[in-house]
Amino acid sequence: MKLNFTGHTDPGLIRSNNQDDYYIDPEGRFFIVADGMGGHAGGEEASRIATREIKAYLTSNWDVSKPSPELLEQALWQANEAILQDQQNHPERADMGTTAVVVIFRNEEQWCAHVGDSRLYRLRETQLEQVTEDHTWVARAIKIGDITAEEARVHPFRHVLSRCLGREDLHQVDVQPLDTKIGDRLLLCSDGLTEELPDQKIAHNLQINSLLDQSALSLVEDAKDQGGHDNITVVIIALE
């Protein structure tokens, strides 16, 4: 199986800085998107630390005899601890945190780990599926039937996270195997994309743009055309 991949990030039209960060391993082994929060400097630092620590852990432990789910989980725990340590060293960033979504291709398997509301999607033929489940107040409310998905899109609590990196009370990282086959496209993204574009629009873009760079740029521009209220980051992986 051959992988083609690309990524793009943009501050959007409202914010002067970009608190998103992403990393693509040149060998196509792993992919990271992080969306920071906690003030101008805090959000940028939190997402940067998370990306750096996850990359460092995966790179240094890639060839050890450790199951991929454990490898992924430990990478995110290391990122959480690094952010907590930075908070102690810099009290002005004490409230910073970040989401993270990570995909790895290892030992003929594909796995995903995530914390927060940065998402992983899979496009198979014409069907777009959200693989990850948002760690947010509204996602929980939808699940138990308190509100509808349509209501969630405009709910005042839609940005309230129930989990993120950079918290002492983080007790769980979601890790799951991925069902993929040749022809699939995977999309990792921050909520700056999904806040602006419905799934149908995202799916249409991924289908009509055969060039991955063009697809990534088009998704970002479409989100900006709808307001670009937040930073926007996308990473696209094509399985060929």
Side-chain angles (χ1 to χ4, degrees):
M1 180 172 61
K2 178 185 176 183
L3 299 181
N4 287 325
F5 39 81
T6 192
H8 188 59
T9 189
D10 191 284
L13 299 178
I14 306 298
R15 300 192 175 187
S16 59
N17 65 318
N18 193 342
Q19 299 184 54
D20 287 0
D21 197 16
Y22 77 95
Y23 179 77
I24 295 175
D25 175 60
E27 298 178 37
R29 297 176 300 174
F30 57 88
F31 306 82
I32 308 166
V33 167
D35 178 0
M37 67 211 74
H40 184 94
E44 287 187 53
E45 190 66 14
S47 61
R48 186 189 67 80
I49 292 172
T51 301
R52 180 194 72 202
E53 293 295 325
I54 294 168
K55 169 191 171 185
Y57 189 89
L58 292 177
T59 301
S60 61
N61 292 279
W62 192 260
D63 294 322
V64 303
S65 57
K66 182 179 293 188
S68 293
E70 182 181 344
L71 184 79
L72 258 180
E73 187 174 8
Q74 290 300 318
L76 269 70
W77 285 125
Q78 177 165 304
N80 190 60
E81 290 302 316
I83 295 170
L84 290 172
Q85 184 61 56
D86 189 85
Q87 291 172 352
Q88 292 181 15
N89 296 338
H90 303 276
E92 71 276 10
R93 297 200 289 262
D95 64 341
M96 72 176 178
T98 186
T99 70
V101 56
V102 187
V103 169
I104 66 171
F105 291 76
R106 182 174 181 255
N107 299 333
E108 305 301 320
E109 299 176 337
Q110 299 88 49
W111 290 83
C112 171
H114 85 289
V115 175
D117 62 355
S118 291
R119 294 178 179 176
L120 172 66
Y121 285 93
R122 183 193 67 197
L123 179 75
R124 176 166 292 172
E125 297 177 352
T126 61
Q127 298 301 312
L128 185 72
E129 178 186 352
Q130 182 180 332
V131 177
T132 54
E133 181 177 307
D134 294 347
H135 299 143
T136 60
W137 185 92
V138 294
R140 174 63 178 165
I142 293 171
K143 196 170 186 177
I144 63 178
D146 282 353
I147 62 174
T148 66
E150 291 74 22
E151 291 170 334
R153 288 194 63 83
V154 295
H155 199 282
F157 292 168
R158 66 187 182 278
H159 300 299
V160 177
L161 297 178
S162 57
R163 252 186 263 175
C164 69
L165 297 178
R167 295 294 181 265
E168 291 279 4
D169 61 354
L170 178 63
H171 301 302
Q172 183 178 352
V173 172
D174 284 2
V175 181
Q176 58 187 307
L178 298 180
D179 170 24
T180 62
K181 67 179 185 179
I182 301 301
D184 288 351
R185 285 193 176 187
L186 301 177
L187 169 68
L188 296 81
C189 62
S190 63
D191 70 343
L193 180 76
T194 54
E195 274 286 301
E196 306 291 2
L197 301 181
D199 287 1
Q200 298 92 326
K201 181 72 172 178
I202 295 172
H204 179 69
N205 181 293
L206 291 172
Q207 291 173 54
I208 66 171
N209 289 301
S210 58
L211 299 177
L212 296 191
D213 287 344
Q214 180 181 353
S215 185
L217 289 171
S218 179
L219 281 170
V220 170
E221 289 305 313
D222 286 349
K224 290 166 70 174
D225 287 344
Q226 295 302 311
H229 295 90
D230 199 354
N231 310 143
I232 309 155
T233 300
V234 300
V235 168
I236 304 173
I237 310 162
L239 288 72
E240 300 177 350

